[in-house]
Amino acid sequence: MMNDDRSGAYVAMERVSATLDGRTGAFSLVHRGIMNRGAQDLLIAIVPGSGVDGLTGISGVFHLAIAGGEHRYDLEYALPEATP
């Protein structure tokens, strides 16, 4: 949702299937974006408790940077110790 003064907000959920540190599973991300007269504030976080299979217990945030029209992504995450 965007207003004429370049203010608005969006929310989204997505499911991610991945292999991280050799562990395969899935988790959910929640997005919260706010734009106030063109100033952006974006938070994308791993939903607590959403990890399954090898990614059970995952936590963290997903960083998105846009520079010169190019998107750069970085997933900052923590995984509990693997059980034997």
Side-chain angles (χ1 to χ4, degrees), residues 14-20 25-29 50 52 55 62 75:
E14 68 181 300
R15 191 74 175 155
V16 177
S17 297
T19 300
L20 302 170
F27 57 91
S28 294
L29 292 172
S50 68
V52 296
L55 301 179
F62 182 90
L75 179 63

Side-chain angles (χ1 to χ4, degrees), residues 4 9 13 18 31 38 50 56 58 60 65 72 83:
D4 290 340
M13 295 279 298
H31 300 234
S50 68
T56 297
I58 191 170
R72 300 208 178 240
T83 53

